Amino acid sequence: MKPKRISVNSSAGKYTILCGTGMLRHVSKELPRLGRFSSVHFVTSPRVWGAVGNRIHSDLGVRNSGRVHLVNDAETLKNLRTVESISRELVRAGADRKSLIVAVGGGVIGDVVGFVAATYLRGVDLVHVPTTLVSQVDSSIGGKTGVNLPEGKNLVGAFYPPKLILTDPSVLKTLPSREFRGGLAEVIKHSIIADPKMFAYLEKNMAKVLRRDPSSLEYLIPRNAAIKAHVVTKDERESGLREILNFGHTFAHALESTTKYRCFQHGEAVAWGMMAAALLAHEIGVCSADYVSRIVALVRQIGALPPWPGLPASSLIDAMRSDKKTHYGKLRFVLSPRLGKAGSYDDVPLEAVQRVLHFAPQFLTKSILHKPDAHV
């Protein structure tokens, strides 16, 4: 696959997503184009570094000047304590304002390390090397960084664009099945809000996608990256258009926070959240029943999900009130009236939300439950 260059405009300047199979072999050519650095610091997890570290480190030729910092990338550790720990390691390693931080990993690594880069010495240069499907198509793009609080997801963070994103679909070969399937939820989300043709492609070719067919990935990953790049270029700070990227996320974040980030991977929660959002849209007359059926049927194709938690609707609604999209205490949802169209709705009756939360588990649960993979 010939590397594709996708440009993203930000308030800090333009940066590039370089996407192509074997992209990691080009790291040594691309990083020097960003400038000279006093030191290079890779922040990643032991599992990820074991899978891709040798390729990255040897290609860069910085074995003597680079430093690898290994951290746990569990969602439960996506917090301020981890930010402090990484920052203190950087101090001890002698990182200064001319240093480069390279975040190598999935969404948690990207969010946490991005926030560290934004705040360490008031900001040092950052490069993302996303290694999961969700980070390649979504979370590494757009400059949103942050960590969770007990009260909710991503409540502390910063907008901090990277200097470069290096995306290599070949690293997905070793990604655990559960993580790959969860990442497909974000791909489905992009197709719902922005690309009816991709939605139809997924309906027809999901079996091939699940096998990680190279031609499918070579189509889907750059296409999704381009959708995300287009949206965040037009609305970097989530003041309007960018909110459509949160389709399904109000429900998803509530599911994650009420289960203490121990039950769902992010993509799994988004999968549930999109189906619930489709039901809510139909409940208030925004979309047709046939459209809901298509969304639910496509989400179900990605495979089994952890069960909807046995929590009262009031607990999930309380969690939703801490969502970043809430204005003046009023719940706001991103809903889709038809394929390729989505928008924010802040006049959703609470009773409609309660009905969806009451009926969604029974309506959506059939045939999509599983016991989470033991090795993940």
Side-chain angles (χ1 to χ4, degrees):
M1 175 183 178
K2 183 179 179 181
K4 294 186 178 180
R5 290 179 175 266
I6 301 166
S7 293
V8 186
N9 291 326
S10 76
S11 57
K14 184 180 290 187
Y15 62 94
T16 300
I17 306 166
L18 280 177
C19 181
T21 300
M23 194 64 246
L24 295 187
R25 294 196 296 270
H26 297 266
V27 173
S28 61
K29 297 178 182 177
E30 297 299 332
L31 280 193
R33 295 177 182 176
L34 301 177
R36 297 187 63 182
F37 301 101
S38 58
S39 58
V40 179
H41 298 264
F42 303 94
V43 188
T44 183
S45 72
R47 182 183 65 170
V48 170
W49 195 248
V52 304
N54 286 338
R55 275 187 280 173
I56 295 173
H57 218 182
S58 60
D59 185 62
L60 278 173
V62 293
R63 189 173 300 278
N64 294 323
S65 60
R67 177 76 181 267
V68 180
H69 307 272
L70 299 177
V71 297
N72 190 322
D73 59 359
E75 183 76 32
T76 52
L77 297 176
K78 185 181 165 183
N79 53 40
L80 288 168
R81 222 173 284 138
T82 300
V83 171
E84 179 184 359
S85 175
I86 295 171
S87 299
R88 293 182 68 185
E89 268 204 52
L90 291 171
V91 173
R92 291 191 290 266
D96 60 26
R97 286 179 175 170
K98 295 297 183 181
S99 295
L100 173 68
I101 296 178
V102 183
V104 184
V108 171
I109 287 291
D111 283 356
V112 175
V113 178
F115 186 49
V116 169
T119 53
Y120 183 75
L121 299 177
R122 297 187 176 90
V124 296
D125 285 345
L126 170 70
V127 167
H128 283 299
V129 180
T131 61
T132 63
L133 183 57
V134 68
S135 60
Q136 291 190 355
V137 303
D138 186 67
S139 62
S140 68
I141 306 163
K144 282 174 71 171
T145 73
V147 295
N148 306 330
L149 296 177
E151 291 77 14
K153 188 176 174 72
N154 294 333
L155 294 182
V156 177
F159 288 94
Y160 195 72
K163 296 295 182 182
L164 178 68
I165 301 173
L166 296 169
T167 297
D168 187 343
S170 70
V171 304
L172 301 180
K173 292 177 182 177
T174 59
L175 192 68
S177 174
R178 184 182 174 191
E179 290 189 37
F180 184 81
R181 290 186 291 105
L184 286 174
E186 297 287 1
V187 174
I188 292 172
K189 178 197 75 177
H190 286 149
S191 74
I192 290 170
I193 65 174
D195 194 337
K197 289 183 179 179
M198 184 165 64
F199 190 94
Y201 176 89
L202 291 168
E203 285 182 311
K204 183 179 179 181
N205 296 285
M206 185 59 80
K208 211 163 78 166
V209 174
L210 287 167
R211 293 196 302 269
R212 309 185 204 195
D213 171 68
S215 64
S216 297
L217 297 182
E218 287 170 10
Y219 161 60
L220 290 172
I221 293 175
R223 177 61 190 136
N224 279 268
I227 290 171
K228 179 75 179 278
H230 171 76
V231 172
V232 301
T233 290
K234 288 185 172 294
D235 177 20
E236 182 181 13
R237 298 281 174 150
E238 205 170 32
S239 57
L241 177 65
R242 186 168 181 166
E243 283 195 339
I244 68 172
L245 296 170
N246 287 310
F247 176 67
H249 282 57
T250 301
F251 288 100
H253 289 171
L255 290 171
E256 290 178 279
S257 62
T258 54
T259 55
K260 310 297 183 187
Y261 307 103
R262 292 186 173 91
C263 179
F264 300 96
Q265 293 188 353
H266 178 63
E268 295 169 337
V270 170
W272 274 115
M274 290 190 296
M275 292 189 291
L279 286 177
L280 180 61
H282 180 257
E283 180 69 23
I284 64 173
V286 168
C287 73
S288 69
D290 286 345
Y291 184 36
V292 176
S293 296
R294 284 186 74 185
I295 290 175
V296 172
L298 183 55
V299 171
R300 282 179 167 172
Q301 283 197 57
I302 69 176
L305 301 171
W308 187 283
L311 294 168
S314 58
S315 297
L316 291 165
I317 289 172
D318 285 346
M320 290 178 189
R321 294 191 191 282
S322 296
D323 191 88
K324 301 185 299 299
K325 295 181 295 301
T326 299
H327 288 176
Y328 304 105
K330 183 179 287 189
L331 296 179
R332 301 175 76 242
F333 295 87
V334 175
L335 304 177
S336 174
R338 62 184 183 275
L339 278 178
K341 180 73 174 177
S344 296
Y345 293 74
D346 57 7
D347 55 353
V348 178
L350 182 61
E351 295 78 12
V353 180
Q354 291 171 328
R355 284 195 296 273
V356 168
L357 291 173
H358 177 74
F359 289 109
Q362 296 92 331
F363 179 79
L364 300 173
T365 291
K366 187 178 180 182
S367 83
I368 60 172
L369 297 185
H370 83 131
K371 185 180 290 186
D373 301 347
H375 67 281
V376 175

